[in-house]
Amino acid sequence: MKNFIALLLIIPLILYRGWVLALGWAWFMVPTFALPALSIPAALGISGLLSFTTFQLIRTGVEPDAITGVITSFFLTTYFLFVFFITSLFM
């Protein structure tokens, strides 16, 4: 059942990650380098590409369940959103 819940939560999490990347891009890359803003689909593509090319599987001996991974990813993404926002205030 936990795996099913994790599967249901992964779609909103992917969209959330794309939104955070698009927002971070708009806050930093657009004003700094005069680049165009990213749409959420473009941000999802870049996020997926970066995740795919930089993925590392670290074996610790303890395998977390799927829902723990989703929750961890959500809070890590939210942390980056907070850091992006605070940093953008100084630009």
Side-chain angles (χ1 to χ4, degrees), residues 17-73:
R17 290 174 60 97
W19 178 74
V20 169
L21 178 60
L23 199 58
W25 184 276
W27 285 342
F28 303 112
M29 302 303 280
V30 172
T32 303
F33 301 110
L35 295 172
L38 283 179
S39 65
I40 291 178
L44 288 172
I46 291 172
S47 177
L49 181 64
L50 291 174
S51 295
F52 175 72
T53 58
T54 61
F55 178 77
Q56 295 180 14
L57 182 61
I58 300 171
R59 300 278 184 189
T60 61
V62 177
E63 295 293 325
D65 58 0
I67 194 75
T68 302
V70 170
I71 291 170
T72 301
S73 183

Side-chain angles (χ1 to χ4, degrees), residues 27-28 82-91:
W27 285 342
F28 303 112
F82 177 74
V83 170
F84 288 165
F85 175 72
I86 296 299
T87 306
S88 74
L89 296 177
F90 296 97
M91 292 188 70

